[in-house]
Structures are given as structure tokens and as C-alpha cells.
Amino acid sequence: MTMANKEPSAMERRLSAFVDSQVSDTERQDVESLLVNDPHARALHDDLKRGSQTGRLLLEEMLKEPVPLDLVRSIKNAPLPRKAVRLPGSSRRNRAFRPSGLQALSACALTLLVGGSLGYMIGARPDGSHAPQALASPAFQQRDWLDDIVSHFRLYSRQQNRLVEIGADKPADILEWLTTGTGVGFRIPDLTDSGLAFVGARLVTAENTPTGVLFYRRTTGDNEGDILALTFSRARPETTKPIEDIRLDTSLVSWSTPLATYVIVAPSSAADLDEIAAKAAGLI
């Protein structure tokens, strides 16, 4: 069976709707949970995302191409049509065709569908040989390890009853477990001065790298009850310059040392995240 007539599976349709942001909040949370726990779904999601972006880029490049000179000449040199016989009383003004709003919308939707399908077929090819220039474009971005950090945070911060694997009442077990699992020596920062109470810890993976996660809960202020997470893993970035970002309504502040990379994660409403990150960096 060729790719042209292969019927998309239920998971492909579900992930495709997720990539196109055509899902409800509940469905988005379910898919994010699926991407965290199912490597096959995560790989398929990356293929669909890559295909969609590639198709969009190819369509944009096609629209930039000039009209071929041969086509212009053929239009200019085409014979004139025969004149129609005008019957008495049938005279009316010639009017240029003006598409209705519905017709214009349908044409745009058809163009987008063709471009997206073309991009999926190209992106799903193992060699990706049909779009080397598009893949090299700066606008082409793949899912990175920070996306994994955000997915883990969004998943577990909503599960208050299963937020951590080891609670704050067993700090020695947490230190031994996460140091062995990540290969990073650390201390559990005391952030009570920032209105944060330590809750416990988890061990997850981000871009196939074991990552320790320390969870905190706000005890004061307007955002009381909010969950924050401090993650750490073996070094990845080439620079030690702190990075601030917001992804899916989630704020990130990351920094690196020669031995490890740290990221503190919180809801985007956290205005003091950089201050908390600075304090945590000095304590961990």
C-alpha cells in the first residue's frame, strides 16, 4: 500500500488535530500526557509536526515563484474566442467575476489542505530527500528538551494526589535516588523565604536524559497553591547564559554550570520567577 492511498490511523488523526491546535483543552491535556508516556506517539507527533511545517514552507516558496515566461506568452498569443451572437433585448453590462466570501474561504482552505498534505508526505519519508532546503530553514524548528520539561510539569502539576514519587519527609532518599539517577550532585534548596514549601521529587526524562524534578508549592500571595518545579540534568547547552522563555502558558528560566543544566518552571503568571531562580541557583 502506498502512502497516497493509506488511510490515516486514529492516532494520526488525533495527533494531527493536536498539531493544528484544533482540540479542546481536555483533549490537549490527554495528548500531552500521551506524548510523555508513549515513545511511539511522540515520534509520530514529531513526524506530523515536521511534515506540517515543511508543507507550509514549501507552499510559501511556491507562492513566491514567478509565473513561467512560456505561460505568459501562450496567454498573450492565444486566439481570440468567437464573438457570440447578441440577441435583441439580452444586452447587459460586462462585469468582472468577484468571488463571494464563502468562495474565497473555500479556495484558501483547499490551498492549505493541499500544502499540508504535501508536507506530511514529505516529512514522513525516512530520508526526507525532497525538501533539504526547507529542513535547513531557520523557520523549521523541532521539539526540543525544554518542551519535554514543560510537558512533564503540565502533566504532574495537575495531579495533586500523585504530584511526587518521594515526599519531602524523606530528603535523604531523594538525594540518594536523584544523584544516582541523574549523575548530578545537588542540595535541596530551602525557598521558604520566597513563600515556597518543598513538596517532594520525581525522576523523569527530557530528550532521553534522566532529569531530577523538585516540586514546590506556594504558601503565600495571590497565587497561593501554585506548583513550581526545579529540574536538573547533565549539561546540554553550549552557553551558560540564563534563558527565559514562555511555552504553553508556562514560564521557564534555565541556566547551566560546567556539570549540569537547571530549569525552574512555573505558571506564566509567576512574576518573580527570575528572583526565585537566582536564589535557587545559589542554594542547589
Side-chain angles (χ1 to χ4, degrees):
M1 182 180 293
T2 62
M3 185 174 296
N5 55 21
K6 181 180 178 182
E7 185 70 20
S9 66
M11 179 178 292
E12 287 176 329
R13 291 194 294 269
R14 187 181 184 189
L15 292 177
S16 179
F18 176 77
V19 169
D20 295 336
S21 299
Q22 297 179 353
V23 295
S24 63
D25 290 341
T26 301
E27 176 66 8
R28 184 175 69 251
Q29 294 174 16
D30 292 342
V31 173
E32 288 174 350
S33 177
L34 180 66
L35 293 177
V36 170
N37 297 290
D38 190 338
H40 173 69
R42 188 160 56 247
L44 182 57
H45 167 268
D46 292 342
D47 285 342
L48 289 170
K49 185 176 180 181
R50 182 165 52 250
S52 177
Q53 292 171 333
T54 302
R56 190 179 301 111
L57 290 172
L58 288 175
L59 183 59
E60 290 176 357
E61 292 300 323
M62 290 170 60
L63 294 177
K64 294 178 182 178
E65 289 293 328
V67 178
L69 184 59
D70 291 342
L71 178 59
V72 176
R73 288 173 177 170
S74 63
I75 293 174
K76 288 184 176 181
N77 298 329
L80 295 175
R82 293 187 305 169
K83 293 185 178 180
V85 178
R86 180 173 297 176
L87 299 176
S90 63
S91 176
R92 57 184 177 182
R93 296 180 180 178
N94 293 327
R95 294 184 299 175
F97 173 70
R98 295 182 180 179
S100 66
L102 180 59
Q103 291 172 325
L105 182 61
S106 300
C108 291
L110 179 61
T111 303
L112 233 108
L113 179 62
V114 172
S117 301
L118 178 62
Y120 171 72
M121 290 188 291
I122 294 175
R125 291 179 61 89
D127 55 2
S129 56
H130 289 276
Q133 294 180 351
L135 294 178
S137 172
F140 182 81
Q141 298 177 353
Q142 294 185 354
R143 179 185 178 89
D144 63 11
W145 64 280
L146 286 176
D147 289 318
D148 289 341
I149 295 291
V150 171
S151 295
H152 286 302
F153 175 78
R154 289 171 59 85
L155 173 64
Y156 293 118
S157 62
R158 295 188 178 99
Q159 302 182 26
Q160 297 292 326
N161 295 331
R162 296 178 177 83
L163 178 61
V164 300
E165 294 179 85
I166 299 182
D169 57 332
K170 298 180 180 179
D173 293 345
I174 291 175
L175 288 169
E176 180 181 0
W177 176 46
L178 295 187
T179 300
T180 303
T182 64
V184 179
F186 71 100
R187 293 174 294 180
I188 300 175
D190 183 358
L191 300 175
T192 53
D193 291 343
S194 298
L196 299 174
F198 179 56
V199 180
R202 275 189 175 275
L203 180 64
V204 299
T205 61
E207 204 176 49
N208 300 319
T209 300
T211 303
V213 186
L214 306 177
F215 286 99
Y216 293 82
R217 180 179 284 111
R218 285 193 186 272
T219 58
T220 60
D222 296 335
N223 298 324
E224 182 177 357
D226 279 0
I227 298 299
L228 286 79
L230 174 57
T231 76
F232 54 90
S233 58
R234 298 303 292 265
R236 285 188 191 82
E238 298 178 356
T239 176
T240 59
K241 183 180 179 180
I243 299 175
E244 298 183 21
D245 197 2
I246 295 181
R247 304 187 182 190
L248 296 176
D249 296 327
T250 305
S251 293
L252 302 162
V253 177
S254 65
W255 69 95
S256 298
T257 68
L259 298 178
T261 297
Y262 304 89
V263 184
I264 191 160
V265 196
S268 58
S269 58
D272 58 346
L273 195 61
D274 53 345
E275 299 175 6
I276 296 174
K279 183 173 294 185
L283 297 174
I284 196 168

